[in-house]
Amino acid sequence: MTRIACCQLDPVLGDLPGNAARINAAITGAVSAGADIVVLPELVTSGYMFADAAEARAAALSPDSAQFATWSALLGDSVAVLGFCENGSDGLLYNSAALLDSGGVVAVYRKTHLWDREKLVFTPGEQLPPLLNTRHGVLAVMVCYDLEFAELTRHVAVAGAELIVAPVNWPLFPRPAGEHPGEVITAMSTARLNRVAVAACDRAGVERGQKWTGGTVSVDPDGWIAAEAGDG
């Protein structure tokens, strides 16, 4: 059995050292608890609500940043997926996710479907989500809004993904009492239709007035919720 830990954190906008410490603690705690796969939120290294590209660039990391090596050193036999603001070698900014193991950065995926004001800051990625053969199964990495596009999730399922891993930041929207967030319903239907597990790690807190759903969820291949975080 593979144990997945989704760490629903509350990163602080622009606070790279503080966010790095939060990530250190989350990875250390999850691995100590027996997690094989550790998932953290979208843009967890930087925060999300950038005013403009200049603010984002000041909080961006390149995939060869020494910080990734620090996190990799905490993993042992586990792997981690986390979202970060990427300073690309082409000079562009990307909303990206990195998959790490004890040896360092295994792969970087750049979000292809940018949502709302993200288009004012980031460049969309040009590559489909990678399928990664890890010691804990075949993983497909996506970022947040990508999960809303059935042609993308179906593509990785047909290609052999066993688990879709998605760092997310889901803004809080009104919903009827007792209902799951719409994004969680999408994750459940994606899992059920494609017979693939889904682990979506949301964030908590409020950033520049934006409340977050706190909708972190692990869904089994039958579409049922195996675990969820709730508020906080």
Side-chain angles (χ1 to χ4, degrees), residues 6-218:
C6 292
C7 304
Q8 184 171 282
L9 304 184
D10 183 6
V12 175
L13 186 66
D15 181 13
L16 270 68
N19 293 335
R22 294 176 184 93
I23 295 167
N24 290 353
I27 292 175
T28 299
V31 172
S32 296
D36 300 303
I37 300 169
V38 184
V39 193
L40 296 103
E42 180 181 11
L43 295 174
V44 68
T45 61
S46 61
Y48 180 93
M49 297 292 291
F50 296 118
D52 51 35
E55 186 176 45
R57 190 171 297 279
L61 297 173
S62 60
D64 60 0
S65 167
Q67 188 59 67
F68 288 108
T70 299
W71 294 324
S72 293
L74 303 174
L75 287 170
D77 290 332
S78 303
V79 300
V81 179
L82 60 87
F84 72 107
C85 179
E86 182 190 354
N87 184 14
S89 59
D90 53 8
L92 300 175
L93 295 174
Y94 298 94
N95 184 342
S96 298
L99 186 140
L100 315 175
D101 66 13
S102 59
V105 176
V106 175
V108 171
Y109 167 69
R110 295 168 171 173
K111 187 175 183 178
T112 54
H113 295 84
L114 299 179
W115 185 77
D116 198 51
R117 293 188 69 259
E118 291 176 10
K119 301 179 185 72
L120 304 178
V121 174
F122 299 110
T123 297
E126 296 182 345
Q127 302 297 321
L128 292 174
L131 260 67
L132 303 163
N133 286 290
T134 76
R135 59 172 60 95
H136 304 298
V138 182
L139 312 186
V141 178
M142 299 184 184
V143 179
C144 202
Y145 195 36
D146 291 326
L147 282 173
E148 303 284 338
F149 293 85
E151 63 271 25
L152 205 61
T153 53
R154 186 61 181 166
H155 167 78
V156 298
V158 169
E162 296 171 305
L163 170 66
I164 296 173
V165 180
V168 307
N169 280 182
W170 287 333
L172 181 63
F173 290 107
R175 61 181 185 269
E179 289 289 352
H180 293 299
E183 297 90 343
V184 171
I185 294 171
T186 296
M188 294 171 69
S189 63
T190 294
R192 185 175 181 84
L193 289 170
N194 293 292
R195 295 297 185 226
V196 60
V198 177
C201 187
D202 199 6
R203 64 164 292 172
V206 179
E207 188 176 276
R208 285 189 170 161
Q210 177 62 62
K211 296 180 180 180
W212 305 100
T213 300
T216 295
V217 66
S218 293

